[in-house]
Amino acid sequence: MKLRDNARFSTICIHAGQEPDPSTGAIITPIYQTSTYVQDALGQHKGYEYARTQNPTRAALEANIAAIEKGRAGFAFASGMAAEGAVMTLLKSGDHVVVTDNTYGGTYRLFEQVLRKYQLDFSYVDTSNASCIEAAMRPTTKMLFLETPTNPVLRITDLRAACEIARAHGATSVVDNTFASPSLQRPIEFGADIVVHSTTKFLNGHSDSIGGIVVAVRDEHVEWLRFIQNAEGAILGPMDSWLVLRGTKTLPIRMERHNANAHALAEFLAAHPKVVQVHYPGLPDHPQHELAKRQMSGFGGIVSFRLGSLEKARTLLNSVRLMALAESLGGVETLISHPASMTHASVPAEARQRIGVTDDLVRLSVGIEDIEDLRDDLAQALDRL
Ligand SMILES: Cc1ncc(COP(=O)(O)O)c(C=O)c1O
């Protein structure tokens, strides 16, 4: 099975890194649930010595996602946060990082409560405004850490412009591409050096695995990430690797339905008299709608909206029947959540306010159910306000 160089995206998703199993011809890469590998003689082995360092199921996933993201190599970790932690080991004490201000709460917690202890410094800026990035760069800035669209208010950063600024300052550009998924945007094509994902979300897509991946293009990053994955050992296990590999095969068709359903719900909410504001890049009044049209091939499966008060948000969250009240996103089933008290609880209240994570904000991770059922569920819950 040789993938041609000009293979299209959905073909890459299904076939990249997927050789038939050499011992049986099994079309699906098996779950190599083993801790070690028997050597033929001292110093003679088949390229596998110990399963923290190498595992064929994990290797198949890493090759698959590296190809999907148009990178050189991928490294799979036990969670999205473990993947981010590994990326941050590229830095040393005294280095400064410019970060999207509206970044995932767990990223903020890692940077502020863990990495500051190691004398790393962080500036959080509105990266949807390129001049804010430029203004935040210092001689010690070694990394630009971007998230676009942001969680949960879906602000969009111009990846080409932002990565160019990083390059001009000799800083590594890192993009958390979890929210869009590579089906909608591939940051490396816009000049990013490193892409990071929580595979827990759209890449796996079935809410049954926690994982993360880093994809890199530059030799020095690839070498260091390979080293640190083994040295720190926060690897993705073979069962989870297999689950994510199964997920990536259907990523493009799942994303088509996520996009369509989310767009329909965003329009429904925008027209509803009880909704104060809707955040969705596909709506013409979204501040970066034109940029989203240029940079992304779909507007994504996440919608957030304001209801005017915490009480109203609480009533809605407790009134939905089909949608599940839960953290996380990117699965086939629709989830509803309250960012201020759930995903962003670790962000201080005044910082939450500044980035638009208000107490009346509700976030939907729109699944791939029938749109009529989703609309009916929201409508009956809104009727109770
Ligand atoms: C944008 C983003 N990045 C990273 C993470 C962390 O991933 P994980 O929960 O797999 O550690 C999340 C989790 O919600 C996320 O939404």
Side-chain angles (χ1 to χ4, degrees), residues 79-82 84 104 107 147 151 176 178-179 198 200-201 210-211 329:
S79 68
M81 290 319 304
E84 288 187 25
Y104 168 61
T107 304
E147 196 181 316
N151 174 20
D176 182 336
T178 300
F179 256 50
S198 167
T200 314
K201 315 299 195 256
I210 295 280
L329 60 110

Side-chain angles (χ1 to χ4, degrees), residues 163-346:
C163 294
E164 237 171 73
I165 295 172
R167 193 172 318 109
H169 288 265
T172 299
S173 49
V174 180
V175 180
D176 182 336
N177 201 27
T178 300
F179 256 50
S181 92
S183 203
L184 308 187
Q185 104 194 339
R186 289 175 290 281
I188 288 168
E189 292 178 338
F190 295 104
D193 297 310
I194 292 178
V195 172
V196 63
H197 276 278
S198 167
T199 60
T200 314
K201 315 299 195 256
F202 289 106
L203 286 174
N204 179 52
H206 294 77
S207 309
D208 51 13
S209 158
I210 295 280
I213 196 144
V214 183
V215 176
V217 273
R218 280 165 45 183
D219 287 351
E220 67 269 29
H221 295 157
V222 169
E223 265 170 47
W224 177 258
L225 289 162
R226 182 170 290 121
F227 171 79
I228 204 73
Q229 184 191 39
N230 183 53
E232 289 191 337
I235 49 158
L236 190 66
M239 178 72 195
D240 289 288
S241 298
W242 186 87
L243 283 168
V244 181
L245 254 184
R246 190 172 60 166
T248 58
K249 291 185 169 65
T250 57
L251 178 70
I253 55 167
R254 280 188 287 108
M255 288 314 298
E256 272 175 32
R257 179 67 89 90
H258 284 297
N259 292 341
N261 280 358
H263 209 143
L265 287 191
E267 284 175 347
F268 165 76
L269 288 163
H272 199 286
K274 292 185 179 164
V275 176
V276 174
Q277 189 183 11
V278 180
H279 300 288
Y280 188 66
L283 295 180
D285 66 353
H286 182 282
Q288 292 98 29
H289 176 61
E290 290 305 318
L291 170 60
K293 276 206 288 197
R294 280 203 311 276
Q295 186 164 278
M296 303 169 72
S297 59
F299 300 113
I302 311 295
V303 182
S304 63
F305 57 102
R306 292 180 50 215
L307 289 169
S309 73
L310 173 61
E311 250 345 282
K312 287 182 180 167
R314 193 194 310 278
T315 304
L316 184 100
L317 290 158
N318 291 337
S319 301
V320 288
R321 294 178 187 146
L322 176 63
M323 299 179 178
L325 174 59
E327 298 214 4
S328 203
L329 60 110
V332 291
E333 58 289 288
T334 298
L335 303 182
I336 192 164
S337 67
H338 182 241
S341 66
M342 296 167 78
T343 47
H344 286 62
S346 57

